[in-house]
Amino acid sequence: MERRLTAILAADVVGYSRLMGLDEAGTLAALKTHRREMADAKIAEHQGHIVKVTGDGMLVEFPSVVNAVACATEIQRRMRQRNVDVPEDRRIEFRIGIHLGDIIFEDNDIYGDGVNVAARIESLARPGGVAVSSSVRDNVGNRLDLTFEDAGDQTLKNIDRPVQVYHVDFFQHMATGAAPKSALAKEKPSIAVLPFNNMSGDPEQEYFSDGITEDIITDLSKISGLSVIARNSVFTYKGKSVDVQEVSKRFNVTTILEGSVRKAGQRVRITAQLVDGKDGTHLWAERYDRDLTDIFAIQDEITHTIVDQLKVRLLPEEKKALEQAPTANVEAYTNYLRGREFFHTRTKGSLQLARRLFARAADLDPNYARAYAGIADCDSALHGWHGAEISLEALFATCAKALALDPNLAEAHASHGLALSINDRHNDAVAEFERAIALDPNSYEGHFFYARHSFAHGDLEKAVELYERCTDINPDDYRSPLLVMNILHTLGRHDEEAKLAAVGLERAERALSLHPENSDPAQLGAIALIGLGQRERAKEWADRALAIDADDNNALYNVACVHTLLGEADRAFDLLEPFLRKVGPHMRSWFKNDSDFDSIRTHPRYETLLKLIDGQSTSDEDSE
């Protein structure tokens, strides 16, 4: 057994299962060709050693960190060139992650924490991109013609400490030609936008202050000359007292933007301060007292002020992108933000309310793509999860409308994927989910809908990966860590199951205290309580969920899970029967794959449920 410090490169193919489903022989042949003609030679050229090759990926070690990063970026550049004439849905794209760490070399294989970190970082890389740890970034320094975008500290599965991750930016040099080394050696200005405080005195206005923060982050992220910390990282500071210098050090950023929002009637007051992360001095501060209709102008002024203060040069296409607001109608905007808040609650009543708000936004601005995506999400959820009568023709027309208005909107592709998923169009749904995530690697909806789809189709490992990414993207998300619990139980990964149960329960308790009228955290939290051995408390939460939403399909299903796990099979069947009479094929597949019901699959009443499901499936086919 030999220990050594080395650079580890982990790579795999984006959407490999989808590509294999489309053309197994062609995908395998193309992958072998890329390796034979290009990748293997590049690895050898940079003194790399291929340790392991899996169906769609590889593990490579390099004695030099600089060689590892140079090799990875060269492979990705060549892959972009090789994909130019390949249809988008058939392209083979790699994700690559690199870490410098201690490994154990034994029997021609490598093991250890360094290998695990590299593999986890690879899953965070963008399609066609390279992600590296801070140890790699520090060792590369300015020795390569590359810039690095700070993605902040990331919580990685089975790694007991946060790891700071960077995305390698090398595509801009392909488009413009190699810049002088001295120009590239200069770090890009960097910024973290902290969640703006809601100063309205009304907790229900949180959706508005959060929306302002997210939109500013989105706009700043369009600027190639600026490194912006992702929403999921900065929102861990929501509602907390913040030391800006500590935040600056944690995220390794030069500047911090903080502010507050006070909305009252048709007036809004927004304060914003740009702070030097090194010494805490104010670089700029402003207070805006305006009519609510000026909200987009205020966001635009803040963005352009940051650009000016940090002396960032806007490219023509970036300037154009910043000028294109999703909507110019502030009432449409506020309806959309509120609709999104209600949609995330997921009960039947909240989905119906969210749909009305999205529809109102679309009426106010018929060119608002996000509003149509929201309508489609509600219709898909109401039809697939709650058995509502929804016109499928109208549903797909709504998806098409959103995509026609903005073909590059990740939300619209995620919505289309969900609509395809609940109508059992597996390959088409996967293609849309992959597209949504490629457009926005931090898309919560893209990952969450994809996770549900993967579970319903029995791809448990993929579902775990996607749910855990959702848990990272949204620090308030209790649903993903709680939904992934029974998958981890099925896979025998009990330590991870217990850890996520604790995380999900803590988040569910917080959600329930903020919104006691919402049954959803009580439904899912009750299942976690059983896993943690708190059976009596689980019963109390289950009873509370049904008291709030006695006829809600999700409540019926989740409370049935609780009674099954408590050994009360007949009570579980009483709840499952009305549930399964209402839902579509997506949720019937979910029921069949849910390990919470393993203990009742030999019960005589289970066969009756299967006949009910089969009868419903026949009815669905006859109606098509």
Side-chain angles (χ1 to χ4, degrees):
M1 183 176 71
E2 175 190 354
R3 281 188 178 274
R4 62 173 177 251
L5 186 69
T6 191
I8 308 105
L9 180 153
D12 74 357
V13 176
V14 178
Y16 183 67
S17 299
R18 177 185 64 81
L19 290 167
M20 291 290 282
L22 290 172
D23 182 2
E24 184 176 277
T27 297
L28 287 173
L31 184 55
K32 288 179 181 178
T33 300
H34 288 311
R35 280 202 54 197
R36 183 180 66 253
E37 295 180 356
M38 183 270 295
D40 287 1
K42 286 296 171 188
I43 291 169
E45 180 184 325
H46 290 86
Q47 291 83 51
H49 167 60
I50 299 175
V51 178
K52 185 185 299 182
V53 176
T54 60
D56 67 326
M58 64 174 64
L59 196 63
V60 187
E61 65 151 341
F62 292 82
S64 161
V65 179
V66 174
N67 280 11
V69 176
C71 179
T73 55
E74 185 62 23
I75 287 174
Q76 295 293 45
R77 285 171 173 155
R78 292 296 182 90
M79 283 304 299
R80 173 172 279 199
Q81 295 166 358
R82 294 168 77 93
N83 278 326
V84 167
D85 297 323
V86 180
E88 190 172 311
D89 65 339
R90 303 280 174 157
R91 291 176 182 173
I92 290 178
E93 292 183 297
F94 295 111
R95 284 190 179 95
I96 298 179
I98 306 174
H99 178 57
L100 175 65
D102 189 53
I103 64 165
I104 299 170
F105 190 90
E106 185 176 31
D107 297 330
N108 294 319
D109 204 349
I110 56 177
Y111 309 90
D113 189 58
V115 177
N116 296 333
V117 172
R120 301 308 179 206
I121 290 174
E122 174 263 303
S123 69
L124 300 179
R126 295 161 179 160
V130 179
V132 303
S133 64
S134 57
S135 60
V136 172
R137 168 70 187 93
D138 292 343
N139 276 271
V140 170
N142 297 321
R143 287 180 281 181
L144 295 172
D145 288 350
L146 303 169
T147 53
F148 293 83
E149 175 190 338
D150 188 353
D153 288 349
Q154 301 291 331
T155 302
L156 306 180
K157 184 171 68 175
N158 292 338
I159 305 300
D160 60 6
R161 65 193 184 283
V163 175
Q164 190 171 9
V165 174
Y166 292 82
H167 294 292
V168 183
D169 181 0
F170 52 88
F171 290 137
Q172 62 178 331
H173 308 312
M174 292 174 60
T176 61
K181 197 175 186 76
S182 59
L184 290 165
K186 185 179 179 180
E187 290 276 355
K188 288 195 294 187
S190 52
I191 188 169
V193 181
L194 295 176
F196 277 38
N197 292 321
N198 169 30
M199 303 297 289
S200 301
D202 180 1
E204 292 192 4
Q205 294 294 333
E206 291 286 335
Y207 77 93
F208 191 75
S209 54
D210 288 352
I212 298 292
T213 308
E214 291 173 11
D215 283 347
I216 291 173
I217 292 173
T218 299
D219 283 345
L220 292 173
S221 298
K222 296 173 183 176
I223 303 169
S224 61
L226 184 63
S227 177
V228 184
I229 301 302
R231 175 209 182 276
N232 51 299
S233 295
V234 294
F235 263 71
T236 58
Y237 286 98
K238 183 178 174 181
K240 298 178 181 178
S241 178
V242 173
D243 180 333
V244 294
Q245 290 173 272
E246 180 183 311
V247 174
S248 173
K249 184 177 180 180
R250 177 190 170 188
F251 293 134
N252 192 27
V253 293
T254 55
T255 47
I256 306 290
L257 181 72
E258 56 183 358
S260 64
V261 180
R262 184 188 299 274
K263 179 174 172 284
Q266 294 303 306
R267 297 287 294 178
V268 63
R269 171 180 290 178
I270 294 180
T271 64
Q273 299 86 232
L274 190 65
V275 183
D276 186 306
K278 185 177 181 180
D279 58 19
T281 59
H282 281 68
L283 303 173
W284 162 81
E286 187 62 83
R287 185 178 77 181
Y288 303 89
D289 282 303
R290 304 276 187 86
D291 289 334
L292 191 58
T293 51
D294 288 337
I295 189 67
F296 306 113
I298 296 172
Q299 291 179 17
D300 188 59
E301 286 181 38
I302 291 172
T303 300
H304 280 86
T305 299
I306 291 169
V307 168
D308 292 341
Q309 288 289 330
L310 301 183
K311 297 178 173 57
V312 177
R313 178 177 173 271
L314 288 177
L315 299 174
E317 60 269 25
E318 293 168 350
K319 185 176 181 181
K320 183 178 179 182
L322 290 175
E323 291 170 352
Q324 294 175 338
T327 179
N329 188 305
V330 68
E331 191 176 350
Y333 176 67
T334 54
N335 274 274
Y336 164 77
L337 290 179
R338 198 62 188 270
R340 188 175 60 175
E341 181 187 39
F342 282 114
F343 175 78
H344 287 154
T345 304
R346 307 294 166 88
T347 63
K348 185 176 182 179
S350 68
L351 290 169
Q352 290 170 332
L353 178 54
R355 192 194 189 284
R356 289 196 293 272
L357 289 162
F358 288 136
R360 175 63 176 157
D363 287 342
L364 290 163
D365 182 356
N367 294 315
Y368 196 3
R370 289 179 177 176
Y372 292 103
I375 294 170
D377 286 343
C378 292
D379 283 347
S380 291
L382 287 165
H383 174 67
W385 308 338
H386 295 280
E389 292 292 331
I390 300 291
S391 165
L392 298 184
E393 182 180 356
L395 169 58
F396 285 110
T398 305
C399 292
K401 178 74 171 177
L403 288 167
L405 288 168
D406 191 345
N408 293 317
L409 180 64
E411 286 178 54
H413 287 280
S415 301
H416 191 205
L418 178 61
L420 292 163
S421 174
I422 64 151
N423 286 284
D424 216 23
R425 291 169 57 180
H426 174 65
N427 289 338
D428 292 337
V430 168
E432 282 295 83
F433 292 139
E434 293 279 359
R435 178 66 175 150
I437 293 171
L439 287 166
D440 181 3
N442 291 314
S443 167
Y444 175 81
E445 285 77 12
H447 286 86
F448 186 82
F449 297 159
Y450 195 0
R452 291 188 64 98
H453 177 86
S454 298
F455 178 79
H457 285 80
D459 191 348
L460 303 189
E461 292 285 359
K462 186 66 175 178
V464 169
E465 173 193 331
L466 292 161
Y467 274 133
E468 291 186 340
R469 180 71 181 122
C470 288
T471 303
D472 292 339
I473 289 171
N474 183 357
D476 294 325
D477 176 27
Y478 59 84
R479 192 175 286 104
S480 295
L482 295 179
L483 286 173
V484 81
M485 280 170 46
N486 70 345
I487 309 177
L488 293 168
H489 184 84
T490 301
L491 296 172
R493 291 157 58 176
H494 301 302
D495 289 344
E496 294 173 64
E497 177 189 1
K499 179 181 176 182
L500 282 170
V503 170
L505 183 61
E506 186 274 329
R507 294 182 182 186
E509 288 174 327
R510 190 165 67 241
L512 204 56
S513 66
L514 290 172
H515 300 285
E517 76 288 353
N518 180 12
S519 69
D520 191 62
Q523 298 169 31
L524 296 172
I527 300 171
L529 286 165
I530 293 175
L532 295 169
Q534 301 181 42
R535 296 169 67 89
E536 287 304 317
R537 194 174 175 211
K539 286 183 180 180
E540 293 173 4
W541 279 41
D543 290 343
R544 177 175 179 171
L546 286 182
I548 297 170
D549 277 317
D551 298 321
D552 184 81
N553 262 17
N554 285 348
L556 294 173
Y557 183 90
N558 289 317
V559 175
C561 290
V562 173
H563 286 289
T564 302
L565 295 170
L566 290 171
E568 300 169 356
D570 285 326
R571 178 57 176 151
F573 283 116
D574 291 342
L575 295 166
L576 284 170
E577 185 172 337
F579 166 82
L580 289 168
R581 287 186 183 280
K582 298 178 186 177
V583 296
H586 174 82
M587 285 307 302
R588 293 175 213 142
S589 296
W590 183 284
F591 166 70
K592 289 180 179 180
N593 285 310
D594 195 335
S595 65
D596 283 350
F597 298 117
D598 286 351
S599 65
I600 63 171
R601 299 200 194 278
T602 57
H603 194 286
R605 290 183 68 179
Y606 185 74
E607 290 299 319
T608 303
L609 284 186
L610 288 183
K611 291 177 182 177
L612 174 63
I613 292 173
D614 292 340
Q616 292 290 99
S617 298
T618 302
S619 175
D620 290 341
E621 292 171 3
D622 291 342
S623 65
E624 290 179 356

